Amino acid sequence: MGLNNMSPFLALIITFGIIGKVHSQCTRPCNYDEVCTNFTSESTTFYYCDCNPELYDNPDYAALLNNIPVSCGPQQFSVDITSCLGRSMAQANFLLPDENRAENPCFYATYSPQPGTATFVYNFTSGSSSCNPALSVNSTHAAFSVPVWFKVNTTNQVVILYNDIMVNYTCAYPLNMNTSLGFGLNPFLSTSNLTVAGVGTYTTVLQLCKNSNCTETYKPSDMPLYVQVESILYFKATVFGPAPSRFSLKIQTCYATPTNNSNDLTQYPLIQNGCPVAPGVTLYIDGNSTTVEYSMHMIKFVDSTDVFINAEFILCLETCIPSCRSRDGQQPNILGRTDISSGPFKVEAAGSAGETGSAGGNGSAGGNGSSASFATSWIIKVIPLLAMLLIKSM
C-alpha cells in the first residue's frame, strides 16, 4: 500500500486520537447523555461534561426515561437519573419519584453514588399495600415489573406542555434463583400470593424438579409429562418478600386429587400437620428457611389417569421446623397460609404403551418391566447353551 493510499487511514487515526484526547481532558468520565466539550478563557482551554444537545435541545422524555439503565438486585432495583435529565425534567415541571411518593408506593430511597447522577431505589415488595408489582413467568425466567410515574406538576401553572409519563421498569431472574413469581396451574410451575398486614406481600412458587438437588427443572418443552406409578417427583417451593431472613416457609398439608378441584371428595393424603403420612414422602428442607424441598412417589387413582398435587404452606416468624417423631413440636408463630396446586400429571401403569417421560425413578421399572427383563435375560443365557448341545449332537 502506497503513502497516498494510506492518507485516509492516517487521517482517521489522527481524528480518533484528537477525540480521545478531548474526552480524556474532562475532569470526570461523562455520563451516557453528556459530551465532553471545552471553552477558552485568557488563552486557557477548559474541558467539561455538558448535556448532549442532540438529546436535550428538543427532549423526548418518554424515550429518555424508557432507556435509563436498570440495576437489578435480589430484593429491589434502581434507576440512575443523570443531572442533565433531572434538570431538564425539573425545567419542564415534571415531578421526580421522590417528589411524588403517593403515586410511587414502591419507591424506597434515593442517593447520589457519583457526581452528576441520582439513584432511585424501588422495592419489589414493601409495607404499602399499594405496591403491587406485575408478576410474570416463562419457562426460564421470572420477572417483576414496577410502574413508575413521572407526573407534571400543575401547581401554579397556567398551561401544561407535557403529558404525564408512566414507565414500567422490569427485572428478570432465572427460575433457579430464590425468586417466586408468576401465575397459573401446570405440572412444572405454580404460584400463590400471601399478604401479611403491615409487612407486605409474599409470593410462593412451587416447582417440579428433575433431581433431588433441583439443579434442573421441567419446562414447557417437557410437557405433557407422563409418569409411572412409584416414579419419584421432586418439588421445591420458595417464597419471596420483604425481610426474608426473619421468616421461614413450611409445608403443612399435601394431598393428591384426581381433578383440579382441590375440594374433590376423592383425596389421597401425603402430608398432614407438617408430617409425611404416605409411603415414599420425604422432607429434605422444611421450616428453617425460605425454601421447602420434598419428594413423593407417584400414585394413580383407579378411575383416572390424572393426578393433581395440592399443598398448603404456612409462613412463620423465624423458624417452624416440624417435629414428627414426638409431640413436643415447635409451636410456630404463623403469619399466614397459602394454597398451591399443580397438575395434571399423566400417570401410566408400568409397562403400558405410549410415550413416557420420567420424573425420577426408584430403580425399578415395575412388575411388568421386571418380568420382561428377567425373560430377556433368561433367553439370552439359554440360546448359547442350546447351540452347544446342538453342535455336540452332530
Side-chain angles (χ1 to χ4, degrees):
M1 182 182 293
L3 290 176
N4 291 334
N5 292 331
M6 290 182 63
S7 56
F9 295 96
L10 291 173
L12 186 63
I13 293 171
I14 292 171
T15 300
F16 278 121
I18 293 173
I19 293 174
K21 184 176 180 181
V22 169
H23 279 278
S24 66
Q25 298 282 352
C26 284
T27 56
R28 63 172 176 85
C30 294
N31 291 320
Y32 66 89
D33 59 349
E34 296 175 326
V35 292
C36 188
T37 187
N38 65 80
F39 70 94
T40 301
S41 175
E42 297 181 358
S43 301
T44 301
T45 302
F46 299 90
Y47 296 88
Y48 64 100
C49 295
D50 195 15
C51 301
N52 189 338
E54 294 183 4
L55 297 177
Y56 291 107
D57 280 355
N58 187 24
D60 182 345
Y61 291 114
L64 289 169
L65 291 169
N66 274 285
N67 287 294
I68 289 176
V70 180
S71 299
C72 300
Q75 299 280 341
Q76 54 191 200
F77 75 95
S78 63
V79 293
D80 292 337
I81 295 183
T82 64
S83 57
C84 288
L85 180 57
R87 286 198 305 269
S88 182
M89 293 187 69
Q91 292 170 0
N93 290 318
F94 280 100
L95 294 172
L96 294 179
D98 60 335
E99 300 171 311
N100 185 22
R101 298 192 179 212
E103 294 180 275
N104 288 293
C106 295
F107 174 77
Y108 174 65
T110 184
Y111 65 98
S112 182
Q114 61 186 27
T117 301
T119 296
F120 292 80
V121 183
Y122 298 82
N123 286 333
F124 293 126
T125 55
S126 73
S128 172
S129 59
S130 301
C131 178
N132 296 306
L135 307 176
S136 62
V137 66
N138 59 27
S139 61
T140 60
H141 285 75
F144 286 110
S145 182
V146 174
V148 177
W149 279 101
F150 299 87
K151 291 208 165 185
V152 176
N153 184 6
T154 59
T155 304
N156 299 325
Q157 300 299 313
V158 178
V159 296
I160 298 174
L161 301 178
Y162 298 97
N163 292 316
D164 297 335
I165 300 172
M166 192 274 286
V167 182
N168 279 306
Y169 292 114
T170 301
C171 285
Y173 301 89
L175 284 176
N176 58 2
M177 292 179 61
N178 186 23
T179 57
S180 307
L181 304 169
F183 299 99
L185 175 66
N186 53 60
F188 60 93
L189 183 69
S190 303
T191 65
S192 178
N193 287 335
L194 167 68
T195 299
V196 178
V199 180
T201 299
Y202 291 81
T203 307
T204 304
V205 64
L206 181 65
Q207 291 178 264
L208 177 63
C209 305
K210 293 185 177 182
N211 51 50
S212 59
N213 295 326
C214 208
T215 55
E216 189 176 2
T217 58
Y218 284 93
K219 300 177 176 61
S221 58
D222 299 314
M223 301 300 122
L225 185 63
Y226 292 89
V227 296
Q228 293 183 353
V229 176
E230 294 189 75
S231 294
I232 302 178
L233 300 182
Y234 297 99
F235 291 95
K236 179 179 181 179
T238 53
V239 65
F240 187 91
S245 62
R246 297 176 53 199
F247 306 102
S248 296
L249 187 68
K250 177 177 179 288
I251 185 168
Q252 185 70 2
T253 304
C254 185
Y255 58 95
T257 56
T259 69
N260 62 358
N261 179 9
S262 60
N263 295 317
D264 195 307
L265 296 179
T266 302
Q267 299 182 0
Y268 179 74
L270 300 167
I271 298 172
Q272 291 181 341
N273 296 320
C275 298
V277 294
V281 177
T282 303
L283 298 177
Y284 302 106
I285 301 174
D286 189 33
N288 59 351
S289 71
T290 54
T291 298
V292 172
E293 294 183 11
Y294 63 101
S295 66
M296 60 165 285
H297 286 193
M298 177 52 75
I299 56 98
K300 181 182 183 301
F301 291 99
V302 174
D303 298 325
S304 175
T305 59
D306 290 346
V307 173
F308 293 81
I309 306 299
N310 310 276
E312 180 193 42
F313 294 88
I314 60 176
L315 187 67
C316 313
L317 184 62
E318 298 180 347
T319 62
C320 46
I321 302 172
S323 179
C324 299
R325 295 185 179 180
S326 69
R327 297 185 179 181
D328 298 328
Q330 180 181 357
Q331 296 300 316
N333 187 349
I334 299 175
L335 298 177
R337 302 173 183 267
T338 185
D339 297 318
I340 303 180
S341 296
S342 60
F345 298 97
K346 300 292 183 180
V347 186
E348 299 179 326
S352 62
E355 180 182 359
T356 302
S358 173
N362 58 3
S364 171
N368 293 340
S370 298
S371 299
S373 175
F374 175 77
T376 302
S377 174
W378 185 83
I379 291 171
I380 290 173
K381 291 179 180 180
V382 168
I383 287 177
L385 179 60
L386 292 176
M388 289 178 64
L389 292 174
L390 183 62
I391 293 172
K392 287 183 178 181
S393 66
M394 294 175 63

